[in-house]
Amino acid sequence: MKVVYPGSFDPVTNGHLDIIRRAAVTFDEVVVAVLVNSQKKGLFSMEERIEMLQELLYDYDNVSVKLFSGLLVDFLEDENIDAIIRGLRAVADYEVELQLAHLNKYISKGKYETLFMVAGTDVSFLSSSVVKEIASYHGDISNLVPDQIVQRIYDKYKEK
Ligand code: ADP
C-alpha cells in the first residue's frame, strides 16, 4: 500500500519524523507531501523544507518527498497513492482531522481513506509552531527537532 503524509513541515519536527518512520514500517511506500500554501508565508521556503526532509529521510528507501499544491485527492490520483496518513496528538487535532478526512472522502467520491497514527507520548505536545515560538526566543529546541536542523532554525531568526 502506498500512502501520502501531507503537511506544511515548517519545519519538520521529531513528531513528524516519528509518524514517517512508523508509516515506513507499516506501509510499502510513503510519500511525504509538502503543501504549498499561498495564504501563509512560512518560516522556511518550500525548497528548504524539502531539502531538510530529504536529508533526514535519505536512509529510507521506501520514503520520498514531494511538493504539492491544489487538491490533495488530485495528488493521490496523479501519484497512484492509496490512502492518506495523518497524525493525531490531542482532541483538538481530532476535530480538524475529522473534517478533512470527510472532505477528502467526499471530493474523491468515497475513494480515499484517511488513516490515523497516534502521536508518540514523548512528542504529543510538539508542533512546528511550538518549535518556532521557542526558537524565536533562543530557547532550547534540541530535543524537539533532529540535530541536523537545529542550527538552521536558529539561523532563520538571526536573519530576521
Ligand atoms: P498542517 O499544516 O496540515 O497542520 P503539519 O505539518 O503541522 O501540517 O502536520 C502534518 C500532520 O502531522 C498532521 O496530521 C498533524 O496532526 C501531524 N503532526 C504534527 N505534529 C505531530 C506530532 N508531534 N506527533 C504526531 N503527529 C503530528
Side-chain angles (χ1 to χ4, degrees):
M1 191 169 180
K2 182 174 175 182
V3 296
V4 62
Y5 179 47
S8 308
F9 307 104
D10 183 38
V12 60
T13 69
N14 287 343
H16 295 129
L17 289 169
D18 175 53
I19 298 281
I20 297 167
R21 290 194 187 107
R22 287 158 56 201
V25 175
T26 312
F27 303 100
D28 302 313
E29 228 184 296
V30 181
V31 180
V32 179
V34 184
L35 168 75
V36 178
N37 186 346
S38 49
Q39 317 278 321
K40 215 165 70 179
K41 203 184 165 300
L43 180 64
F44 289 96
S45 70
M46 292 300 146
E47 293 71 28
E48 290 172 315
R49 294 180 212 181
I50 289 186
E51 191 184 278
M52 287 187 279
L53 280 161
Q54 276 172 341
E55 269 173 36
L56 295 163
L57 298 166
Y58 179 76
D59 284 343
Y60 290 75
D61 293 339
N62 64 339
V63 179
S64 58
V65 183
K66 293 208 163 141
L67 189 71
F68 96 95
S69 59
L71 289 179
L72 182 60
V73 298
D74 291 339
F75 182 78
L76 274 93
E77 201 67 44
D78 294 344
E79 302 280 331
N80 273 316
I81 293 167
D82 304 297
I84 304 158
I85 293 290
R86 296 285 285 178
L88 279 184
R89 285 160 293 189
V91 182
D93 275 348
Y94 178 78
E95 287 189 26
V96 179
E97 295 295 339
L98 188 70
Q99 189 182 24
L100 283 174
H102 280 307
L103 191 72
N104 284 319
K105 188 132 196 183
Y106 171 76
I107 48 180
S108 68
K109 300 194 171 61
K111 188 167 174 187
Y112 295 120
E113 294 290 346
T114 302
L115 309 172
F116 295 102
M117 296 188 86
V118 172
T121 41
D122 49 339
V123 287
S124 63
F125 63 93
L126 197 50
S127 66
S128 299
S129 325
V130 162
V131 169
K132 286 185 274 196
E133 180 82 10
I134 299 174
S136 71
Y137 297 112
H138 313 289
D140 183 8
I141 56 167
S142 60
N143 290 321
L144 310 182
V145 298
D147 296 344
Q148 297 96 308
I149 70 166
V150 169
Q151 197 52 49
R152 279 183 85 143
I153 300 171
Y154 287 132
D155 288 349
K156 273 282 165 193
Y157 288 99
K158 264 191 231 149
E159 281 170 26
K160 281 180 189 280

